[in-house]
Amino acid sequence: AKPFDLNQIPIWTGQFSSELRLLLLDEQAVGDGMMFLSLIPALLRKTKHIGLFLSPRLAPIYSRSFAKLISEHKLSIFTKDDLSAGRLKASAFDCQIPLGSICQYGFLDPDCYAPRTPILIADHLITSQLRNQYITTSSLAKRLVGISWRGGGRGARIKEKSIDVALFGQFMLKHPDIRFVDLQYGNTADQIKSWRDQGIDIIHDPQINPLKDMDRWLSQVQACDAVVSVANTTIHGAGGLNIPTQCLLSRHSDWRWLIDPSVMRSYWYPSVGIARETKNQASSWSSAMSSVSDWLHNDCPMPTGPIKSVVQ
């Protein structure tokens, strides 16, 4: 919801100015907001001040990650509590716009993206505590690899973005020297138990719930050496932290990933590689899972190659 109606603050239509005071409105899913917020450094080069009206779940993360910009009075962060208390005022801004609408103004080519990495900063104390907790309780694990296998959305869209848990289990069994860390949001305890019963070394930390405390969850992501996930919020957390990551990309992916199979890394996040599901009905994920296994065996290098196709 917009904190102010259009009579109070008009919608921004792309006019840049060194005096522009722009209010950006969080919208859509949390991962979408995190993705669009990666454009802030580029926007600040063309404006005087940016205000962020964010979900309370994101505010602590970006208050830390953008602390320098806040201290320089180039950026402000607000939530609905600030609006209710009168700390967010319409008179402080010239225009407002939803985050998802800014791509059409100055971001028309993939080369315009990923202006700074990492774009996120986790709580290093919590990260250190979690890593010590996870790694010292295993005598075999050489690395911690975060995983997420279920996509967001509603109805059939969730299944389209997710990967079969039996197939994901087979993949993890090939890596007995890795301790996997459950980064998946939602209720996963039963699934983790099932994988453990199969002999998979995997951690489920009941004290972390990204749906309630994303800041602590981000520290959990930072505690991992690498991440393997379908295209959900986990990708935006890992990519924003610049952690080596492989995105298991469904063939039902959207515009943010382009469609050319020769493009094997994200233009949003330099650390995120792409392993694409194919249209082969019998084994659509075989190639993707095989390439991710090879990536793990090769110590999880950062992705290379073009970020866009010559035809896109």
Side-chain angles (χ1 to χ4, degrees):
K2 295 180 180 67
F4 303 106
D5 64 37
L6 302 186
N7 292 321
Q8 294 172 290
I9 308 180
I11 287 290
W12 184 55
T13 55
Q15 302 92 340
F16 287 103
S17 162
S18 60
E19 297 301 312
L20 178 64
R21 301 169 303 167
L22 182 61
L23 180 62
L24 301 181
L25 313 176
D26 194 9
E27 65 164 354
Q28 302 183 54
V30 168
D32 293 338
M34 295 173 76
M35 179 183 69
F36 295 126
L37 284 165
S38 68
L39 303 177
I40 292 298
L43 282 175
L44 279 172
R45 291 196 290 269
K46 302 179 179 182
T47 58
K48 179 178 182 178
H49 188 87
I50 287 179
L52 302 178
F53 186 66
L54 297 180
S55 158
R57 285 197 288 164
L58 289 180
I61 293 173
Y62 286 95
S63 294
R64 182 192 310 109
S65 301
F66 292 151
K68 185 174 185 295
L69 295 174
I70 293 171
S71 69
E72 294 171 346
H73 306 291
K74 295 179 180 179
L75 185 140
S76 302
I77 292 178
F78 305 96
T79 68
K80 59 185 179 182
D81 292 336
D82 296 298
L83 181 64
S84 299
R87 292 186 290 268
L88 173 57
K89 300 181 183 298
S91 59
F93 297 96
D94 303 305
C95 301
Q96 63 179 331
I97 189 171
L99 275 170
S101 298
I102 61 180
C103 295
Q104 63 189 307
Y105 303 123
F107 299 97
L108 301 181
D109 187 286
D111 288 328
C112 299
Y113 291 75
R116 191 185 83 194
T117 54
I119 195 72
L120 297 178
I121 299 175
D123 185 314
H124 294 301
L125 178 59
I126 296 177
T127 293
S128 179
Q129 292 171 344
L130 292 174
R131 183 169 177 84
N132 289 337
Q133 174 188 337
Y134 296 164
I135 202 72
T136 57
T137 56
S138 172
S139 59
L140 296 177
K142 298 178 181 177
R143 282 173 294 171
L144 296 175
V145 174
I147 61 164
S148 184
W149 59 95
R150 188 170 63 239
R154 298 180 179 178
R157 185 61 178 153
I158 296 176
K159 185 175 181 180
E160 287 178 348
K161 295 172 62 177
S162 303
I163 192 166
D164 180 74
V165 292
L167 183 62
F168 209 92
Q170 293 169 15
F171 155 75
M172 288 188 287
L173 282 169
K174 296 178 180 178
H175 301 278
D177 60 337
I178 290 175
R179 168 159 279 190
F180 294 96
V181 180
D182 174 17
L183 302 177
Q184 177 69 54
Y185 46 82
N187 187 357
T188 64
D190 289 345
Q191 182 56 59
I192 299 303
K193 181 181 183 303
S194 174
W195 278 334
R196 282 178 178 164
D197 290 343
Q198 298 173 44
I200 296 170
D201 185 3
I202 184 168
I203 286 177
H204 169 75
D205 191 338
Q207 297 185 30
I208 295 179
N209 183 345
L211 298 179
K212 294 183 177 180
D213 187 349
M214 283 208 69
D215 198 10
R216 189 171 180 83
W217 171 83
L218 191 72
S219 293
Q220 184 185 41
V221 178
Q222 181 74 80
C224 298
D225 298 299
V227 169
V228 176
S229 173
V230 296
N232 62 16
T233 302
T234 304
I235 291 296
H236 304 293
L241 292 166
N242 207 38
I243 293 172
T245 300
Q246 284 289 303
C247 177
L248 293 164
L249 188 65
S250 161
R251 64 178 183 269
H252 302 286
S253 60
D254 58 32
W255 62 273
R256 294 172 288 184
W257 296 96
L258 305 182
I259 59 174
D260 189 333
S262 68
V263 176
M264 302 302 290
R265 64 187 182 111
S266 168
Y267 60 91
W268 291 88
Y269 306 110
S271 72
V272 176
I274 303 173
R276 297 177 185 266
E277 181 188 21
T278 69
K279 295 182 179 180
N280 186 326
Q281 295 299 319
S283 54
S284 62
W285 283 108
S286 295
S287 177
M289 301 306 289
S290 177
S291 67
V292 174
S293 277
D294 290 343
W295 179 74
L296 290 176
H297 283 306
N298 291 325
D299 297 325
C300 310
M302 288 288 194
T304 58
I307 60 172
K308 62 180 180 180
S309 166
V310 294
V311 299
Q312 290 178 308

